[in-house]
Amino acid sequence: MTSRTTHMAWLGTGAICALASAVLHLLLVPSHLTEMPYIGVLFLIGGVALLAVAAGLLGRQRPLGAWLIGAVISIGMIVGFLLSRTVGLPGYRETGWEPPYGILCLLSEVVFVLAFLAWLKAGGAGGAAGGGTGNLRDRQSRERTGAYCVQKPPRREAHGDLQASDPRQAS
């Protein structure tokens, strides 16, 4: 695969994972709002933010910000998931893995983070994948910028030099 194709594949993978995690968390909002309201609110905020991340990965020429936000949210959700099943969260401790939701959320978040790291390694943030933009036309435009510069002639320091060098004024 070319670096452009690889770049796009990782963006698509990240967007699908963000969308999956968002949908799964949004499905769980109502039950968590009644059981533990702050968990429901966190699920709502995380779900909406991940919808924006998915859109940002697919719709932006420079997706690094979307990747970073998605990675922070995904890592936060992974940590929250693990804490809620081990030591517990304030006033809340989950006893099971909530099949299929818990495992599917965890899987989509882990794959998102791995896709982000693979995208970075493939040069997505500024390397071979087009300077992070994914837009070949922009990169070519930046490369051509110096080719059309007009050089200004050197300035003469004194007005008198101009008169002395003019052959019509030599009489």
Side-chain angles (χ1 to χ4, degrees), residues 72-83:
V72 167
I73 292 169
S74 293
I75 291 169
M77 288 180 168
I78 292 166
V79 169
F81 180 86
L82 295 175
L83 288 175

Side-chain angles (χ1 to χ4, degrees), residues 71-116:
V72 167
I73 292 169
S74 293
I75 291 169
M77 288 180 168
I78 292 166
V79 169
F81 180 86
L82 295 175
L83 288 175
S84 72
R85 280 144 184 83
T86 55
V87 297
L89 297 172
Y92 182 77
R93 183 160 187 207
E94 189 66 51
T95 56
W97 288 80
E98 294 181 58
Y101 299 110
I103 298 298
L104 291 174
C105 287
L106 193 59
L107 181 65
S108 65
E109 292 149 4
V110 167
V111 172
F112 181 92
V113 173
L114 293 174
F116 173 48

Side-chain angles (χ1 to χ4, degrees), residues 93-155:
R93 183 160 187 207
E94 189 66 51
T95 56
W97 288 80
E98 294 181 58
Y101 299 110
I103 298 298
L104 291 174
C105 287
L106 193 59
L107 181 65
S108 65
E109 292 149 4
V110 167
V111 172
F112 181 92
V113 173
L114 293 174
F116 173 48
L117 295 174
W119 178 82
L120 283 173
K121 186 175 180 184
T133 68
N135 190 331
L136 181 61
R137 203 171 341 145
D138 286 347
R139 189 173 77 237
Q140 289 171 338
S141 176
R142 284 192 305 272
E143 290 169 355
R144 280 194 305 249
T145 306
Y148 298 105
C149 291
V150 177
Q151 295 287 330
K152 290 184 178 181
R155 286 185 45 192

